[in-house]
Amino acid sequence: AIARSLPALAVHLDPLGWLPLRREIVRYLVARGIECQPSDIAVVNGAQQAVDATAHALIDPGDTVVMEQPGYFGAALAFTACQSNLVGVGVDEQGLKTAELARVLQARRVKLVYTTPAAQCPTGAVMGDARRRELLALADEYQVPIFEDDYDSELRFNGAPIPALKRLDHSGQVIHAGTFSKVLFPTLRVGFVVAARPLLEKMVLARVSADFATGAVPQAALAALLRSGVLARHVRRMRRLYAERQRAMLDALARHMPAGARWSAPPGGHMLWIRLPAVDPDRVFYDAAAEGIAYTRGEVFHFDGRGTDCLALSFANLTPPRIADGVALVAAVVRRQVAPGRRRSRSARGPGSEQRRTRRAPGDGGTVDAVGTRG
Ligand SMILES: Cc1ncc(COP(=O)(O)O)c(C=O)c1O
């Protein structure tokens, strides 16, 4: 199929993306409740380029952009590169705190709100229905566009993927971005963005200026994978696989982490957000690296230097036994750092016994709620 498409693709690349691929993406989006046509979509080099093109199209130096804290570092990078004034809004187990957002919107003019409603990055929290309605009402009231980064919605372990915020958007304020990075692989560099026409045109101009268009071969390959149903089957398999891997990580955390550690247990995704008890985060990071364990440090997900007591542990490409071993190693490093009085007793409750409990971590300004805790 790819070879058949290439003669046409080799001579002309539409900056909006190859039409057969956009048609497949429309089919997928309509199934998710987003009414759109191929002309409403631009294929981009991953969700990151959608964020970047949006920032270029909308943001002038000094403009205020609101994003979740903790939040996706790639978005913070794109908004910072456009010299925006970044303002953080906290998240809890329902995602972005709309009451806090309302206060920011009352106080100043905001050019854009960036959010990850289906799977808050990095906590994995799913934005509830009431919050979604509040967010859209605020977007209407203050005429502020919302960037919906839908990067991880397909990796939900049970039931249908979380409906898109865009589905409820009747005034065209939501810019919806998706990606094939999580369901296939991140080096593929193909994503898409749906936005109202004048804005989409500006975004496409920004991306043309950056790199003209997304490569022909990945576009043709993706169109074939979508059309044939292979991708849908693959995603179903990934959901089962990732559910097993998340289970292995949750069990290992419950078994090995010392008192005071807390972690998220989201209904999908590829990583967990972990809050450590009082430890030296540099020593934990370098000691873990010496044991061969890499993770993303919590401050990477904050643009204001907070988050040093947190980390994001990915289970995406590890088997359950390797996950169990890796978590045991990290936990041993953390335990070595914890003040003796705070070590947990070995007779602590069994694995997973606290998964349903929701607690706010102390002293974090209410930014993150974690379910699953030791201590
Ligand atoms: C929340 C979030 N959005 C966007 C991206 C970037 O995705 P892409 O590879 O499609 O550019 C990532 C990548 O990790 C992410 O975590």
Side-chain angles (χ1 to χ4, degrees), residues 78-89:
F79 299 135
T80 305
C82 285
Q83 298 174 53
S84 72
N85 169 33
L86 269 181
V87 172
V89 164

Side-chain angles (χ1 to χ4, degrees), residues 314-364:
S314 169
F315 51 78
N317 62 352
L318 296 171
T319 58
R322 292 201 68 207
I323 291 166
D325 290 350
V327 170
L329 282 170
V330 176
V333 165
V334 174
R335 279 202 309 273
R336 281 205 296 275
Q337 294 283 316
V338 175
R342 302 202 58 195
R343 283 171 209 244
R344 79 179 174 95
S345 82
R346 303 296 305 177
S347 64
R349 295 144 290 219
S353 59
E354 291 148 322
Q355 293 308 315
R356 298 283 151 246
R357 210 186 298 172
T358 300
R359 281 210 194 158
R360 179 152 299 146
D364 71 346

Side-chain angles (χ1 to χ4, degrees), residues 46-48 72 114 116 121 149 151 179 181-182 189:
Q48 181 63 31
Y72 170 50
Y114 167 91
T116 45
C121 176
D149 184 344
Y151 73 110
T179 178
S181 285
K182 304 296 177 200
R189 311 306 313 138

Side-chain angles (χ1 to χ4, degrees), residues 26 29-36 148 150 164 166-167 176 194:
V26 165
L29 287 171
V30 168
R32 289 206 63 206
I34 299 178
E35 284 306 325
C36 60
E148 175 182 30
D150 202 41
K166 178 83 182 152
R167 198 175 68 124
H176 175 93
V194 188

Side-chain angles (χ1 to χ4, degrees), residues 99-219:
E100 205 177 308
L101 173 64
R103 286 194 291 278
V104 176
L105 290 168
Q106 273 156 20
R108 59 172 92 195
R109 166 119 175 79
V110 171
K111 270 297 194 61
L112 181 69
V113 176
Y114 167 91
T115 181
T116 45
Q120 202 278 325
C121 176
T123 63
V126 178
M127 189 181 283
D129 286 343
R131 288 270 173 96
R132 285 167 188 252
R133 281 193 293 277
E134 282 160 20
L135 180 57
L136 292 171
L138 288 170
D140 266 355
E141 185 181 345
Y142 290 93
Q143 288 296 294
V144 57
I146 310 288
F147 188 100
E148 175 182 30
D149 184 344
D150 202 41
Y151 73 110
D152 221 7
S153 57
E154 285 293 319
L155 287 179
R156 185 172 164 82
F157 303 146
N158 293 304
I162 302 291
L165 182 70
K166 178 83 182 152
R167 198 175 68 124
L168 304 171
D169 169 34
H170 302 299
S171 53
Q173 292 284 31
V174 177
I175 303 158
H176 175 93
T179 178
F180 297 97
S181 285
K182 304 296 177 200
V183 292
L184 284 166
F185 50 97
T187 51
L188 183 65
R189 311 306 313 138
V190 184
F192 54 88
V193 60
V194 188
R197 222 0 135 117
L199 175 60
L200 190 70
E201 277 163 16
K202 280 192 181 175
M203 289 162 67
V204 171
L205 261 184
R207 91 72 51 97
V208 166
S209 133
D211 62 357
F212 284 115
T214 296
V217 174
Q219 290 201 66

